[in-house]
Every structure is written in C-alpha cells, then in structure tokens.
Amino acid sequence: MGGRDRGMTTVLGGRLDGLTTVHVDDELDTHDRLVVVGNGMAGARLVEEVLERGGDSFRITVFGDEPHGNYNRIMLSPVLAGEEHEDDIVLNSHEWYADNGVTLRAGTRVERIDTAAKQVHADDGTVTPYDHLVLATGSYSFIPPMKGVRDDAGELLPGVYGFRTIDETRAMLDAVGRCRRAVVMGGGLLGLEAARALQGHGLQVELVHAAPYLMNVQLDPEAGAILKRSVESLGIAVHLDVFATEVLGGDRVTGVGLADGRQLEADLLVVAAGVRPNSDLAVRSGLEVQRGIVVDDQLRTEDPDVYAIGECAQHRGEVYGLVAPAWEHAKVLADVLTGADPDAEYHGSRTATKLKVAGVDVAVMGVNTPERDEDEFLVISEPRRGVHLSVVIRDDVLVGATLLGDTRKVAFLTQAFDRGAPLPEERIRLLVDLSDGAEEVGVAEMPADSQVCNCNGVSKGDICGAVAGGCGSVGEVMDRTRAGKGCGSCKSLVKQIVEWAADGELTEDPAASWYVPGIPLPKPELVRAIREHELRSVSAVFALLAPDGKDDAKSKMGLTSLLRMIWGAEYAQENDAKFINDRVHGNIQRDGTFSVVPQMKGGVTTPAQLRRIADVAEKYEVPMVKVTGGQRIDLLGVRKEDLPAMWADLGMPSGYAYGKSFRTVKTCVGSDFCRFGLDDSTQLGIDLETRFQGIESPAKIKMAVVGCPRNCAEAYVKDVGVVAVGNGRWEVYVGGAAGASVRKGDLLATVDSPEAVTTLAGRFLQYYRENANWLERTYDFVPRIGLETIRAVLLEDSEGIVADLDAGLQRSVDAYTDPWGQDGKQPATPGQFRPALPLIPLPKVPVR
Amino acid sequence: MSVTELTTSGPTTTAHVVGRVEEIPPGEGRTFVAGGTQVAVFRLRDGSLHATQAACPHAGGPLADGQTDVDVLVCPLHLYAYRWADGASTSGAPPIRLFPVREVDGDLVVEVQPVEV
Ligand code: SRM
Ligand SMILES: Cc1cc2nc3c(=O)[nH]c(=O)nc-3n(C[C@H](O)[C@H](O)[C@H](O)COP(=O)(O)OP(=O)(O)OC[C@H]3O[C@@H](n4cnc5c(N)ncnc54)[C@H](O)[C@@H]3O)c2cc1C
Ligand code: SF4
Ligand code: FES
C-alpha cells in the first residue's frame, strides 16, 4: 500500500521514546504477582477485567511475543483489504499498560514454566516469579505438509504467508504491489477474507479448498454452494475438493501443485488452512494438553496456580476459535482471581457468529444440520439472490441457525439460541417476517403508521404510544390498544413491537399464566381450588378466589366452561356468566341477529331433514341459507325472538356452531361409495359426533374422518383427524389446523378398530380439556405440551391418569342435553329471547 | 309494556317506569324504551342498577346482550368495554351515554331527556 510512512518494524501501539515506568521495589511489594503469557485478545482482556474489578491488589506482568501493544486481531481482514488503517485497530497501547501499572514485556517469548518454583523463563533469559499464571497464547496458522513450502532453514518460502498477525498482514500488504496472481489455500473464514482482500488489491485470486464446499465447518453443503456462487461472482476462482500438495518455485513461490496434477500459477500464497492452539509451552512445562491446554470450569489447569484462556484452552473437550468465548473466559477468570466471585464458573459458550465473509453476510450458531431423527430442519434457499437460511430445532428449542446473504433475523435467533426463548409455532417466522403477503420488514424499519392489527386497526405507532404511555407488558399493551385481540394472527408481531419499543424494559406479565384474567391462578391450581371448595357457580368462584371477591366480565365465559367440565350436570348454571351465544344457543351476527346451525352428524342428511330446513327458512324469512365449511347448513340472520319457535319446527338438535365446544366431524363418503375407500369413515364420523356432541372445551374442537389418505375431508388439519389406512387400521392425528393458523396434525397413534379411535380421541379430548389454557386451540396445545409427552400420557399411561380421563369424559357425555330442546320449551331466564335492539336501524346484512 | 310518565326531576330529564326489576336476571341486561329512547338496563349481581344507551357506539352492537362486572359492561360484538362510572371506553371507543336509574317499589325508573318533537 502506498502512503504508508511506517517501516515494517514499527511497533503498533508503541510508547514514546524516553518514557519509563517507575516500579516499587519488588521485595517491598507484597501484592500477589499475576503473570499473563500472551498479549492477544484473551490475555489483554483478562488484564482489563482484573483492573475493572479493582485489581490493584496484583502486580501484573504481561508477556507477548509480538512486539506490539494489544491490537484487535479480528480487524486484520479489513486492514489487509486496505479498508482500515492499522493504527485504528490498537486496543491497548504500551501507554495504556504503563498508565495502569502493568508491566508489558512485548517482544518477549516465554519458553518454559517452572511450576514447582512458580517462575516463567523467557527467551531473553529472564526469570519471572508468579503467584498466579495465566496462559493466553492463542493459536498459530497451521501449515499443512506440502513439498517445498519451507526453505532449508525451515522458514516459509518467500511469498508464502500465514494470516494471523499484524506482521504477516503488513508483509502481504508490502508484497501485493509486486504480485499479480495469488493462491489462497483454505476456504474457511480466514481464507475467504484473505482472498477477497487480495482481490481488492487487483490481484488475480484463486482459492483452493480441500473440502467439497466452502466454510464447511460452519455451513451445510447447500449454503456452501451458494456462498461459492457469490464468491465466484466477485471474480475469485474456486477449486473445491482438492489438496494443494506442492509449493513450486526455488527461492520464492511461483505456483502451487494440486493433488490432481493441476498447477496454479502464483507469486503470492496465503495459507489459511486452519489454526492450532499454541500449547507447546504448556507441553514443555508438563501441563496436560490434549487438543488444547486442559482446564476446568474455573479455567484452571491441573496446576492450581496456572490457568489457560482463549484459543489455547480446552474446556470440556471444546477448543474455541472465536473471540467471544475468549472474552467470556477472561471475565470468569477475573472473577475468580480477584475474588469478585470466587465461585464463578465457565460452562462453555454457545457460539453465535455474525460475519461478513468476502462481502457476504453470514451468521452461524450451533449445529448446521439436523442430527437426530426428531430434529426439525427448516431451510429457505434462494441461490439466485445468494440467500440461504436454515434453522435446526430440537424439542422446541433452537439448536442451530445458518444465515447466508440475509442476516436480518439474526438478533432474534441469537436470543432464542442463547436463552432458549420460545419459538413461534410457525417456524418460518424464525427466518422471515411474514406480514401476510405485504412487505417483509423488520420491526425496527416498519413505518409508525403501518397497520399491525387489521382487526382492530392498530398501527405500530399506537403500540409504541402505549408503551411510552406506561404499559409495561404485552398484555397491558394489548388491553390498551386492543391489538392482537381480534383474530389473533398478529399477536407475535405485536409482541415483537412491544419488545422493541420497550427496549428491554418489559415486565413479566404475571397474568400470562393465569387461566382467566380475573383470578390470579394458573389452571391446575384453579381446578384444585374449585374442587376443594366445591365451587359450582361462577359467582362462587369469584367470591372466594378473585382479589376482593370482585367479578370480572372477561373471565366469566372461561370459568363457565371450566365449571361445566369439572362438574358436568352438577354445575350451577348462571346465565350472566355466559357469552350471549351460549345464552341463546346461536351465534350473534353483526346486526344483532343470530345464526341457526342444526346438527348434521358427519355431514350426512336426509331429504326429510332438508325439506324441514327449507320449510323453516321460508316460514321465518331467513335472509340466507348457506352450506358451511363444516358440512352442514346455516340459517343466518334469525331474529332472537324467533329462535325457540324455529328450533321446535326444525326438530333437530343444536349443531353447537356458536360454542367453545366440540363442533362437527367432517367425513368423506368412504368405503360405502368411494372406489378408493378403505374403511367406513362416514359411520365412524357419525359415531364420534354422537359421542362428543355438545362437550365444552377450552376452544373449539373440530374433527374429521377420511376413508383413505387422499384426505378429502381434510383430516390432517383438524384438532383430531382420523385416516383409514386399510386392513381395519386408522391413524389418529391431533393438533392440526387450517384456520387462522395452518398446521398439519401430529400422528398420535395408529389403532386397529373404530372403537379404539373413539377411545383415543376421547382421551385426547379430555386431556386437552383439563390442561389447555382458555381459548388455546389444539394447534398450540399439542406443540406446547409436546407430542412425546402426550403419547406417553395417553398411550403408555405414564401419569396413571388414563382411567380418570376416560371417566371425566364419560361424565360430560352423560351430562349432554340438547340446549334447543331444553331452553326452547322453558326459557332459562326471564326475557331470554327478548330482542335487545328492536328499534334502531342497524347496519343491515344484505339479503340474497 | 306500559310506559308511565312518573315525575320530572329538573328541567331537562323525565323519569319513566320502564319495567319491573324481576325482568332483568342478575348480572344481565334488557332493553327497554323510556319515553321514546331505547335504553339498556342492567342489574348487577351486587344489586346495583345501571342504564346505558342500547346500541354500542362502536358498531351498533346490542349492549343489553353484553357481559358485566362491577366495573364495566362488555359489548358482545367486538368486546369493547365501557365503565359504569363514567361511560368511558377502556379501549379507545367513544363513550356510552349513561342514564340515572333506580328502583321504586320493584319498578325500574329511568331518567332520560325528553325526545324533541
Ligand atoms: C359458518 C362458517 C363459515 C361458512 O359459511 O362456511 C363459519 C363462520 C364463522 N367462523 Fe369459522 N366458520 C365455519 C367454518 C370454519 C372452518 C372450517 C371447518 O370447520 O372445517 C374453520 C377452520 C378450521 C378451524 O376451526 O381452525 C374456521 C375457522 C374459524 C376461526 C379461526 C380459528 C383458529 O383458531 O384458527 C374463527 C375465529 C375464532 O374462532 O376465534 C372462526 C369464527 C367464525 C365465526 C363464528 C365468527 C364469529 O365469532 O362470529 C363465524 C360465524 C358466522 C356466523 O355468524 O354464523 N372460524 N371456521 C363455518 C361453519 C362451520 C360449521 O358448520 O360449524
Ligand atoms: C484475520 C482474522 C480474522 C478473524 N476474525 C474473527 C471474527 O470476525 N470473529 C471472531 O470471533 N474471531 C475472529 N478471529 C479469531 C480471533 O482473532 C481469535 O479467536 C482470538 O484472537 C483469540 O484470542 P487469543 O487471545 O486466544 O489468541 P490471540 O489473539 O492469537 O493471542 C495470543 C497471543 O499470545 C502470543 N503468544 C503465543 N505464545 C506465546 C509465548 N510463548 N510467549 C509470549 N506470547 C505468546 C501470540 O503472539 C499472540 O499475540 C479472526 C482471526 C484472524 C487471524
Ligand atoms: S365466516 Fe369466518 S372467514 Fe368469513 S368473515 Fe366470518 S370469521 Fe371471517
Ligand atoms: S359493536 Fe360493540 S364493540 Fe363493536
């Protein structure tokens, strides 16, 4: 590089001439002597951390075999690329050491440790005593055995460089002006950076990599392949899956010979084929060394006064090659040494890295491919854009992520990876922001006026305003703005915005674990209390369990459902505790009228039934008759006061299309008529609907039975889906959904009779009723509990509750009465069917 | 239902007997007409009476079909809540109108402004 006014020998971060540091006579100083070997990223950070903890109780000496102060090694790539000046990467100059009373022995190499005498011997012949010794010697560039790579003196052939230190970097910078063609050995992080940097200096660069794809340590093959395209598009030739076996040229490099016989011309060769820990010093001194210097959770070697940190250390079998773990080591060790926290321990690092490699954004953490059968693996690959994103999930926890070409989601993923934060049910949201077809932007970039909750018309700005106005939890924000309280599909976005707006100031919402907002108890405790005190009505529950005995409108519906589940027929009915739908057994419409959906088990009807429906529709001037998505007929727009008479005329039971309850079983025609039918799905559907009719549950329950895996009645996406697979066998799926969320159900079991299906479906239903949160559909419940747990409980009776589940369900089955037959004849309360809005003109539903 | 004009209290409101207390089950609401104005009257479980406009200001929902507690009334259509104390919405909708209501010998008495003719 032109314009560089310093010679190669300039000391980086050096001191002005003439300055010396005055030290108290060693003999008089009673402070412990802390000696650090290695003045790199780890060693220097340790000194900083010790000083921060008031480490003036130590006399500190640092040896570094580089002559420089401490510089930021990871910035060598931009320095090589000419993007950064070397002066700007100094972290701690010689000055700094002097100012802090730390003796820096730069340019001095420690040769040997006498652990018995507690002294280190340096290459300048000095002997330095220590009370505590820290080895932070880092790594060196590994030079693979190649013919001709070294000269007779054992030095690298002129023109051949490692890429580890500022001196090597300077040497390369010095050479680029005289060179035309470079070969980089190694397609890992360092090799790619070197290749890119050299190419930027106008050299023609070829990269040779022994593995079948680039960055094979961090990436999976597909991502590696995409990275290759990106690198090649920069004009760098990439040779994969081949070893360089020979360095050509007598007294300076002229080319590289590959194992397949090819020869690449080169006047500069960078060897970036991996690093090896600098552990020879420890070996020579008799410390245990495997891949690195072996340390325990306090970074201590087998000698109680000798520690090792950074890349030279091997902790729990792991040797790290990144700066973050080195810094974590330094923190823990400083705690231990200074006594700030004598019990501090290091338990390993979950390494997550975000880099720009050769101009391409890369972020990697954890594993990059699934390792076990049950691992979830999600990949988005867009080779043309150079984007490849993947995540590996194990037991609902993020165990790895690879982002190439697009690292916008790195912040969230790093958090999830570090802290095991809960993952969105729709896994794809881990990798992209889904705003339902609209623009994909991060929360931060969203304009303030962009609509977040379409149901309630709440914008990002409204949410931020609520946070600024003092709402401290997601729940409060949702209450204040109503965001997320409609269809709920925006909830996770709302949560993200609240978190972003609150910037870490969020309080944990205690109410999040309560079954209903008005009673401060999670479901299991609430159920226990209700049983223990025999609370049979909603008002009794409030009186005893609510703060100050205060009732809460928004808790009533959930409590009613729970009490009915617990007490069956013995529950004390209170109509005001029900939502209007459950008071009048119909679904309220936008104009205050109701819909009437008669039961039509399994979607099977008769001409007589159809005739009756037709007559009723005419008689009561029903504005719309519609076939529903649930395989039955809806009479919409019915006046409240007409309901009882209509039910009587229909003579059909309620289809419960309005309740948080069991709804329908969709069926296909099955073996009776369909040429593919393997079993009688229609009959099984009818039987299931007969058994489960009217059963209330935390949220809607919908089922389907199909006669073969063609799945014409969509059983794979139902709360419980049953699929005939032939020979009398049926698959039972649970937790499916195709409403606001889409999820394929999980195969719970394959059973061999319709009776076994009924039993298992019932068991699942009861388990869900007893354990799900209010309004939690099975598509959230099943993944929350985990399929394995559900299987163990229901199939192996791991908790010994199967008999209770069966009995509990049976109680509810026995308590079934058809509400239309009941209230139709004898109103439950005065004015139950009185019009609530008879006089005022309302937005009219158009009549077809 | 017979609506009897009873007394006037002050120059602007007229009191009307709209029905009997037993017509409203505890915790529920029913719609009545008081001097040509539709009102929803609620009898809470603590015995207190409240009267509001009958249609929800948000989108015309039938408030008498809503759910109640000691603090609020929740509209059945989109679950907006309104405070008994002042009619204000807890979630940003326009407020609802409240009418004085009391029980006289089992009769429900609601005071409304006379409808201008
Ligand atoms: C009538 C019907 C549409 C139609 O014309 O076909 C319908 C109508 C309503 N659905 Fe639905 N859903 C109907 C089938 C479905 C289906 C398909 C099915 O059942 O196979 C689904 C997807 C499956 C599912 O449930 O996940 C479906 C997913 C929803 C959802 C989203 C639930 C979710 O968590 O994903 C809602 C909103 C909710 O429950 O909060 C909903 C809510 C509603 C409500 C009840 C909205 C409301 O609260 O007023 C609609 C009532 C209209 C009315 O006044 O009667 N409806 N709805 C269907 C009645 C089926 C039946 O015979 O019982
Ligand atoms: C070009 C480049 C780019 C990188 N980019 C990244 C990145 O983007 N992100 C990331 O996380 N990591 C990156 N790294 C890796 C990171 O620099 C290392 O993980 C980190 O420097 C390790 O710190 P350390 O203190 O253990 O070793 P070092 O920083 O290597 O320090 C060890 C020091 O000890 C000295 N020493 C060794 N033996 C003796 C002895 N016997 N006596 C005296 N002194 C001795 C060495 O000379 C050296 O100065 C990069 C590395 C390089 C080379
Ligand atoms: S019927 Fe279902 S999809 Fe249609 S508007 Fe109503 S809730 Fe939405
Ligand atoms: S109409 Fe009352 S909340 Fe929408």
Side-chain angles (χ1 to χ4, degrees), chain A residues 587-589 595 597 626-632 634 636 657 660 663-664 666 700 702 714 718 737-741 777 779:
Chain A
N587 189 72
I588 192 163
Q589 321 268 283
S595 63
V597 183
K626 184 181 180 301
V627 175
T628 73
Q631 296 190 343
R632 50 225 191 135
D634 197 347
L636 296 121
K660 296 303 173 201
R663 294 284 182 91
T664 57
K666 300 220 277 197
K700 297 184 278 199
K702 300 181 178 182
E714 302 158 340
K718 290 292 163 202
S741 292
R777 288 285 296 261
Y779 58 74

Side-chain angles (χ1 to χ4, degrees), chain A residues 35-194:
Chain A
V35 172
V36 180
V37 184
N39 189 31
M41 303 294 270
R45 177 56 73 95
L46 173 78
V47 174
E48 288 179 24
E49 297 277 354
V50 166
L51 293 175
E52 257 175 43
R53 287 165 180 69
D56 34 6
S57 53
F58 291 112
R59 281 173 288 165
I60 307 177
T61 303
V62 180
F63 287 90
D65 77 349
E66 296 183 72
H68 314 287
N70 166 239
Y71 60 89
N72 191 345
R73 195 172 306 283
I74 72 178
M75 296 303 283
L76 290 178
S77 307
V79 171
L80 182 63
E83 292 159 4
E84 198 79 50
H85 192 275
E86 57 170 42
D87 288 344
D88 297 329
I89 70 167
V90 174
L91 295 173
N92 297 310
S93 62
H94 285 226
E95 202 72 56
W96 179 87
Y97 290 88
D99 289 349
N100 285 286
V102 175
T103 309
L104 174 62
R105 307 275 297 275
T108 311
R109 184 176 178 78
V110 171
E111 304 267 52
R112 194 167 65 79
I113 310 161
D114 184 342
T115 51
K118 298 179 81 169
Q119 293 171 330
V120 296
H121 296 254
D123 62 355
D124 60 357
T126 57
V127 178
T128 309
Y130 67 83
D131 296 301
H132 314 280
L133 177 68
V134 178
L135 304 177
T137 51
S139 313
Y140 62 93
S141 310
F142 171 63
I143 309 289
M146 282 181 288
K147 219 170 118 192
V149 68
R150 291 182 193 277
D151 61 18
D152 295 340
E155 296 294 323
L156 288 179
L157 196 68
V160 180
Y161 305 92
F163 187 21
R164 179 79 193 176
T165 64
I166 183 66
D167 289 345
E168 287 165 326
T169 308
R170 285 173 173 176
M172 279 189 274
L173 281 171
D174 186 55
V176 287
R178 302 186 299 270
C179 298
R180 279 190 318 111
R181 304 182 67 105
V183 167
V184 174
M185 255 188 73
L189 164 67
L190 288 188
L192 286 163
E193 297 270 83

Side-chain angles (χ1 to χ4, degrees), chain A residues 367-442:
Chain A
V367 302
N368 59 30
T369 42
E371 295 168 344
R372 303 189 193 159
D373 281 354
E374 322 81 63
D375 282 355
E376 291 175 62
F377 187 40
L378 176 67
V379 183
I380 295 180
S381 200
E382 288 186 75
R384 252 165 37 88
R385 278 211 306 139
V387 171
H388 185 90
L389 315 172
S390 71
V391 289
V392 184
I393 298 161
R394 183 171 303 153
D395 297 333
D396 271 329
V397 175
L398 184 69
V399 294
T402 307
L403 308 180
L404 181 77
D406 177 353
T407 51
R408 275 178 296 176
K409 297 296 272 185
V410 70
F412 175 76
L413 289 169
T414 312
Q415 277 203 357
F417 178 73
D418 272 358
R419 309 190 199 151
L423 306 180
E425 167 61 19
E426 290 171 85
R427 304 302 199 208
I428 189 153
R429 290 183 190 272
L430 285 167
L431 293 179
V432 294
D433 289 318
L434 295 182
S435 36
D436 298 322
E439 74 277 51
E440 288 177 13
V441 283

Side-chain angles (χ1 to χ4, degrees), chain A residues 791-840:
Chain A
R791 276 196 183 139
V793 172
L794 301 186
L795 305 175
E796 290 144 33
D797 201 6
S798 62
E799 292 178 12
I801 57 167
V802 162
D804 290 344
L805 291 176
D806 291 350
L809 184 77
Q810 190 59 47
R811 218 174 16 252
S812 293
V813 169
D814 294 342
Y816 167 77
T817 47
D818 169 36
W820 289 0
Q822 217 176 28
D823 290 357
K825 291 176 200 117
Q826 174 66 54
T829 54
Q832 183 181 9
F833 298 103
R834 221 172 83 173
L837 274 186
L839 301 175
I840 293 184

Side-chain angles (χ1 to χ4, degrees), chain A residues 615-752:
Chain A
D615 289 343
V616 164
E618 276 181 355
K619 175 169 171 190
Y620 296 93
E621 300 170 319
V622 170
M624 180 154 84
V625 181
K626 184 181 180 301
V627 175
T628 73
Q631 296 190 343
R632 50 225 191 135
I633 293 176
D634 197 347
L635 303 167
L636 296 121
V638 177
R639 290 177 291 264
K640 203 195 214 174
E641 57 272 34
D642 287 343
L643 289 169
M646 254 179 84
W647 298 335
D649 287 352
L650 278 169
M652 296 167 70
S654 165
Y656 277 94
Y658 44 81
K660 296 303 173 201
S661 60
F662 172 87
R663 294 284 182 91
T664 57
V665 183
K666 300 220 277 197
T667 70
C668 70
V669 285
S671 52
D672 273 1
F673 291 91
C674 176
R675 63 204 158 109
F676 296 115
L678 298 171
D679 230 317
D680 193 350
S681 50
T682 320
Q683 189 57 48
L684 178 50
I686 292 171
D687 293 346
L688 289 173
E689 189 160 343
T690 307
R691 181 160 175 78
F692 301 135
Q693 59 192 351
I695 286 183
E696 57 287 318
S697 46
K700 297 184 278 199
I701 282 275
K702 300 181 178 182
M703 301 191 181
V705 186
V706 291
C708 84
R710 286 174 189 75
N711 192 32
C712 295
E714 302 158 340
Y716 292 131
V717 289
K718 290 292 163 202
D719 296 290
V720 177
V722 183
V723 182
V725 290
N727 300 321
R729 294 168 64 75
W730 303 87
E731 290 178 340
V732 179
Y733 290 82
V734 294
S741 292
V742 181
R743 177 179 198 269
K744 187 181 175 188
D746 297 316
L747 179 59
L748 178 61
T750 307
V751 297
D752 44 24

